Amino acid sequence: MENTSGLSDFQLENGIGPVTEKLTLGEIDLAKASKGEKAFNEKCASCHKLDEKYVGPAQRDVLTRRTPEYIVNMIMNPDEMGKKHPETKKLLAQYMTQMPYQNVSMQEALDILEYFRSVNPKK
Amino acid sequence: MQKKIQILVLAVMLLPLIFIIGCGKSSSSLDTGDAAQRVYVKPGEYDEFYSFMSGGFSGQLSVYGIPSGRLFKVIPVFSQNPETGYGYTEETKAMLNTSHGFIPWDDAHHPSLSQSDGLADGKWIFINANNTPRIARIDLKDFETAEILEIPNSAGNHGSPFTTENSEYVVASTRFSLPIPNQDVDIKSYKENFKGTISFIKVNPESGRMNLEFQILAPGFNYDLARAGKGPSHGWAFFTSYNSEQANTLLEINASKNDKDFIAAVNWKKAEEYVKAGKAKAMPADYYHNYVDEKTRVAKSEQMKTVMVLDPKDCPGMIYFLPTPKSPHGVDVDPTGEYIVAGGKLATVLPVHSFSKMIKAIDGKKFDGEIDGIPILKYAEVNAGEVQNPGLGPLHTEFDEKGFAYTSAFISSEVVKWKLGTWEVVDRIPVYYSIGHLMVMGGDTKKPFGKYLVALNKITKDRYLPTGPSLTQSAQLIDISGDKMKLLLDFPTIGEPHYAQGIKADILTKDFMKIYKNEDNGNPYATKGEKDAKVVSEGNIVRVYMTAARSHFAPDNIEGIKVGDKVYFHVTNLEQDWDVPHGFAVKGMNNSELLIMPGETRTVTWEPKQPGIYPFYCSDFCSALHQEMSGYLRVSPANSNVELKFGTGK
């Protein structure tokens, strides 16, 4: 299908934001995952639960739906994603709440990603 | 066709008339157009300057853009503000503690920006409370009041808080003299028992934290305004006084008898030496020091019990009197630090003293007697010149970058421009009406920005659409970039715009705060994530640890609260995005709503009086689902056994 979004193929698959090339992920680092869980509880959990739809979608299986790069870009650059990315726009129309910018650093976002990897059922 | 011809004929007939009217208006409409362009800031663009204007009897500090005259912030300082919860919340209440108890208002007069090397550095701004003497420090990172220090042995803290060249000190002089320490005496014993004080408040260069370092005992006059020296006069500060007659009744007449009153010149570096040398006496005093703890962002009060006092009799060379006509109000030091201009309120001339002449006169002991150990210098030995015809009731002077001074004249309602050195008046412009202070952008610093002058008027009368007996207060913007001053704009202000400070916007915008970081939230009752939201009951104290994020509270259903309970709502805003505050309001709340910035925890208390259901909601429109951001509290009778329950989405 023709790409009419104005985004590159990379962006369509991996989102728009600070991550512009594929991440190299090793074995799941449980120490990082635990930091990620804390950050998730402080900055994300008012809207996201692991297993139920809340203000936003459930997150346990997010890696089944999105690439790691998309997840980090979505966490760090939600405003632009909500305005430009066709997948994010669809979700905004469905949930009617713009995901807020939560001042998450790259390190924290990677920790949260590690947390998502550790809880993913297909890990 | 015929109709068109008729219109054409009519147009031709009217042409001369249009021409005449057009011609009559053209010059003024051109001027107006020019003025409009000068003050027009395109939507979405920024003003060139910030102006901080005192809120006068509102007790607050307002922030305007110049040249547009747009108001974009009111910073609560000395008065409670139910709009944000300032002075009502558990985190801010202590800011308004004084030795007279909790005081929810005051009269704020003179904002003073902190300085480095005689230039406004954008770190803090200080402002005085006149009625119950206090000085506040506002942090310009977040535009919040960070500290309030009460000044003992003072009444009518008018001559404050003017800063020294590097904000080593802010100074404060007392308008009313009093028995020191205060006591029950016959008012008629004024001359024997009443004294003035001049206070030096040290400012910590890193934290900004204030400390009342020492006070100087002064004769029982009324001390009015002050300025610190700069450049060559750095190390000195100047204080006007009136009522050298020491009248205690009908001052209007009785304090206006002497042809000259005094400017007190204080060598504060010398005073510091005397304090170090142990010349200051520790006097018992009672005053409060309130400040926001940097880690918790919760205000604390400390009760202070002593103050160090210097008596001029023990401290030769520390303070001198400069005779000055007549009941002088303002005392303003020019950018070079050489000239000290006195606004001789009842004088027919504007006296200008010379700092270098003053030093020579001190060295040559050109004295004309002394009062309470303070030598009086001879007028001719210190005076540099007099501005003739400076308008009626000259009050205050500020300076531009080109060697001109601008003086406000209250009685003749005008601004008078004159040249430093020649003392010659070069221009004057009427203002509407009864100007008090004026402010040139940076006009009290070593390097004024010039360009604009703001007239801070006392009377508004017919300048705006009438609103009954009570009218807005007002300021006027005047272009001072050319030879002739030009009136550009009238704009309304809050309270009485008593005095103001102007600073180039980019000095403040290069380093400012957008949010409070969640990880830095040190409030002891902060809830760091929605999972930790809870309700805890200890006897009749109920603490609700609540979080707010678009677009719900957690918990949002609470049961088990009883009549007779005191409920603390500790609400944490978990957002980390700029400009996403949440509000919090419960039906029947007797104090104020909360307005909570991202990353902040604010606490309000509530004591329900009747059983029933009480809705609460977010009072700041935050999102598309703002109207859904709400919840219910169930209040049961005092003796009921309804169990404590809480949750969100269950």
Side-chain angles (χ1 to χ4, degrees):
Chain A
M1 199 172 70
E2 203 194 345
N3 174 3
T4 55
S5 64
L7 303 180
S8 68
D9 288 347
F10 179 90
Q11 286 174 325
L12 275 182
E13 193 192 344
N14 301 298
I16 315 155
V19 181
T20 55
E21 48 191 73
K22 294 302 279 183
L23 298 166
T24 332
L25 300 174
E27 287 292 299
I28 295 171
D29 179 338
L30 287 176
K32 281 181 75 182
S34 152
K35 280 190 207 162
E37 181 177 9
K38 186 167 174 283
F40 178 81
N41 283 334
E42 286 177 5
K43 295 193 163 176
C44 317
S46 341
C47 297
H48 294 287
K49 307 286 174 207
L50 286 181
D51 297 308
E52 56 185 301
K53 178 180 169 231
Y54 198 45
V55 178
Q59 295 297 306
R60 186 180 294 281
D61 64 344
V62 63
L63 274 156
T64 319
R65 288 176 285 124
R66 309 282 184 225
T67 67
E69 296 76 15
Y70 184 102
I71 291 169
V72 173
N73 281 333
M74 187 67 207
I75 292 172
M76 294 186 69
N77 190 30
D79 279 345
E80 195 182 5
M81 290 281 285
K83 285 190 184 96
K84 294 185 182 162
H85 198 285
E87 281 304 310
T88 321
K89 286 204 280 196
K90 263 191 241 165
L91 280 188
L92 182 57
Q94 187 187 339
Y95 285 87
M96 295 304 284
T97 297
Q98 167 64 47
M99 175 163 145
Y101 175 77
Q102 282 291 83
N103 198 30
V104 179
S105 68
M106 177 60 84
Q107 192 52 56
E108 273 181 315
L110 292 172
D111 290 346
I112 293 168
L113 174 66
E114 214 61 12
Y115 173 58
F116 288 155
R117 290 178 73 201
S118 75
V119 298
N120 190 283
K122 291 181 190 164
K123 68 184 166 188
Chain B
M1 182 74 191
Q2 205 170 8
K3 216 172 192 175
K4 266 189 193 162
I5 290 168
Q6 275 175 4
I7 289 168
L8 194 67
V9 169
L10 196 67
V12 170
M13 281 166 61
L14 283 174
L15 202 59
L17 195 63
I18 291 165
F19 184 73
I20 290 163
I21 295 167
C23 199
K25 281 209 159 180
S26 67
S27 65
S28 77
S29 71
L30 210 68
D31 279 348
T32 313
D34 183 41
Q37 274 190 351
R38 293 291 313 276
V39 302
Y40 182 66
V41 176
K42 275 189 203 153
E45 289 192 0
Y46 290 158
D47 280 284
E48 187 183 355
F49 294 96
Y50 282 94
S51 173
F52 294 90
M53 319 232 304
S54 72
F57 42 74
S58 83
Q60 319 293 44
L61 180 68
S62 54
V63 189
Y64 289 79
I66 298 292
S68 71
R70 297 181 295 185
L71 169 70
F72 41 76
K73 172 105 177 163
V74 175
I75 303 170
V77 184
F78 295 114
S79 296
Q80 282 182 308
N81 184 20
E83 184 184 340
T84 61
Y86 178 84
Y88 292 96
T89 64
E90 296 304 302
E91 286 79 10
T92 56
K93 264 174 15 183
M95 291 304 277
L96 303 179
N97 287 336
T98 77
S99 62
H100 306 273
F102 179 86
I103 295 191
W105 74 282
D106 215 298
D107 180 20
H109 273 203
H110 310 115
S112 182
L113 285 160
S114 59
Q115 294 189 2
S116 298
D117 193 25
L119 303 179
D121 57 20
K123 285 198 218 167
W124 310 296
I125 187 162
F126 303 89
I127 190 165
N128 62 326
N130 235 339
N131 183 60
T132 301
R134 286 171 286 169
I135 291 177
R137 177 174 57 88
I138 290 103
D139 195 324
L140 292 178
K141 272 220 169 62
D142 60 359
F143 288 63
E144 295 272 330
T145 302
E147 186 177 9
I148 294 182
L149 175 68
E150 191 178 358
I151 312 292
N153 299 329
S154 174
N157 174 41
H158 193 258
S160 99
F162 298 95
T163 179
T164 57
E165 192 172 280
N166 298 296
S167 290
E168 292 94 341
Y169 293 95
V170 290
V171 301
S173 57
T174 181
R175 169 180 166 197
F176 297 103
S177 283
L178 289 172
I180 291 174
N182 205 354
Q183 53 192 309
D184 168 19
V185 298
D186 185 348
I187 296 172
K188 289 211 164 60
S189 73
Y190 186 104
K191 284 183 186 166
E192 175 195 340
N193 283 325
F194 287 42
K195 289 277 181 199
T197 55
I198 293 172
S199 304
F200 283 79
I201 293 105
K202 190 145 203 159
V203 179
N204 182 302
E206 303 301 322
S207 65
R209 200 62 70 74
M210 298 185 284
N211 180 55
L212 177 51
E213 202 74 1
F214 59 90
Q215 292 190 312
I216 296 172
L217 221 48
F221 305 158
N222 293 44
Y223 295 86
D224 205 2
L225 278 162
R227 281 286 183 201
K230 45 174 92 87
S233 52
H234 177 53
W236 289 76
F238 307 95
F239 302 84
T240 44
S241 69
Y242 61 101
N243 193 20
S244 54
E245 297 85 349
Q246 300 191 271
N248 59 274
T249 182
L250 196 62
L251 267 62
E252 183 177 22
I253 293 168
N254 295 330
S256 307
K257 289 181 174 162
N258 293 348
D259 281 343
K260 292 193 174 69
D261 296 277
F262 300 106
I263 288 174
V266 174
N267 182 340
W268 57 259
K269 290 207 168 157
K270 195 102 188 163
E272 279 180 332
E273 288 168 19
Y274 282 125
V275 173
K276 265 198 198 131
K279 294 278 183 185
K281 281 192 201 120
M283 244 179 95
D286 186 15
Y287 60 106
Y288 271 68
H289 182 201
N290 312 319
Y291 57 90
V292 175
D293 180 275
E294 272 137 34
K295 205 171 141 10
T296 61
R297 295 197 58 247
V298 177
K300 285 187 192 169
S301 290
E302 278 175 22
Q303 211 175 349
M304 313 295 282
K305 287 291 180 194
T306 52
V307 58
M308 302 305 287
V309 178
L310 290 167
D311 188 331
K313 287 189 195 113
D314 309 328
C315 307
M318 178 179 71
I319 174 168
Y320 298 91
F321 275 143
L322 282 58
T324 304
K326 176 180 183 177
S327 297
H329 191 58
V331 52
D332 296 292
V333 180
D334 85 309
T336 69
E338 163 64 7
Y339 295 120
I340 304 145
V341 182
K345 197 166 65 190
L346 305 178
T348 52
V349 296
L350 194 71
V352 182
H353 297 309
S354 150
F355 178 74
S356 53
K357 280 185 80 174
M358 181 190 91
I359 293 297
K360 266 188 215 147
I362 291 170
D363 291 345
K365 299 201 182 328
K366 308 282 189 192
F367 301 144
D368 204 357
E370 62 165 56
I371 302 173
D372 294 355
I374 302 173
I376 303 168
L377 292 159
K378 287 185 175 155
Y379 181 71
E381 299 292 335
V382 296
N383 186 260
E386 291 175 342
V387 179
Q388 302 294 323
N389 198 9
L392 297 178
L395 291 185
H396 298 280
T397 301
E398 289 216 349
F399 309 90
D400 69 10
E401 73 290 16
K402 295 179 251 177
F404 293 101
Y406 302 81
T407 299
S408 57
F410 177 83
I411 299 168
S412 53
S413 285
E414 62 184 331
V415 173
V416 178
K417 177 182 176 182
W418 50 276
K419 188 148 183 62
L420 282 156
T422 70
W423 325 121
E424 164 201 12
V425 172
V426 295
D427 191 24
R428 47 209 320 148
I429 187 170
V431 286
Y432 307 92
Y433 302 93
S434 300
I435 182 173
H437 280 262
L438 51 70
M439 183 270 284
V440 173
M441 298 298 139
D444 62 331
T445 69
K446 275 180 166 173
K447 285 186 197 149
F449 304 110
K451 208 162 174 176
Y452 301 109
L453 178 152
V454 178
L456 300 150
N457 300 330
K458 307 290 187 198
I459 293 176
T460 308
K461 277 267 177 357
D462 54 6
R463 299 296 287 181
Y464 298 94
L465 284 172
T467 54
S470 152
L471 303 174
T472 184
Q473 302 274 324
S474 105
Q476 292 184 292
L477 186 72
I478 293 169
D479 175 4
I480 55 166
S481 58
D483 291 340
K484 299 291 276 179
M485 292 179 279
K486 278 184 204 152
L487 177 60
L488 296 177
L489 181 72
D490 278 27
F491 60 100
T493 63
I494 64 156
E496 179 219 345
H498 192 92
Y499 179 51
Q501 293 267 273
I503 184 169
K504 268 253 195 223
D506 53 16
I507 297 172
L508 293 184
T509 52
K510 68 175 189 285
D511 178 24
F512 74 103
M513 189 184 275
K514 285 186 170 176
I515 57 162
Y516 299 103
K517 287 188 181 157
N518 277 344
E519 51 268 40
D520 297 341
N521 186 343
N523 189 301
Y525 299 103
T527 308
K528 292 294 188 81
E530 190 168 313
K531 274 190 171 168
D532 299 330
K534 62 188 172 196
V535 181
V536 179
S537 151
E538 312 143 13
N540 67 337
I541 301 290
V542 179
R543 293 189 183 275
V544 180
Y545 295 80
M546 185 181 276
T547 62
R550 276 165 289 178
S551 305
H552 63 276
F553 293 105
D556 69 359
N557 277 205
I558 302 171
E559 299 194 354
I561 291 173
K562 300 185 182 74
V563 171
D565 284 351
K566 182 167 187 181
V567 186
Y568 288 81
F569 295 100
H570 305 290
V571 187
T572 301
N573 180 349
L574 290 175
E575 307 273 359
Q576 290 289 278
D577 204 356
W578 196 21
D579 196 20
V580 193
H582 288 293
F584 178 76
V586 183
K587 182 183 174 187
M589 210 148 68
N590 293 96
N591 32 26
S592 91
E593 65 179 319
L594 291 178
L595 192 65
I596 315 138
M597 295 304 128
E600 220 180 25
T601 302
R602 299 280 102 166
T603 303
V604 69
T605 59
W606 182 58
E607 294 176 52
K609 290 172 194 70
Q610 296 291 332
I613 297 296
Y614 293 83
F616 60 90
Y617 71 100
C618 171
S619 53
D620 186 332
F621 205 110
C622 58
S623 67
L625 299 172
H626 162 77
Q627 207 66 347
E628 282 72 9
M629 190 163 177
S630 62
Y632 289 106
L633 296 162
R634 174 180 171 191
V635 176
S636 305
N639 55 1
S640 80
N641 50 11
V642 175
E643 161 194 14
L644 193 65
K645 266 199 303 193
F646 55 89
T648 305
K650 285 177 213 156

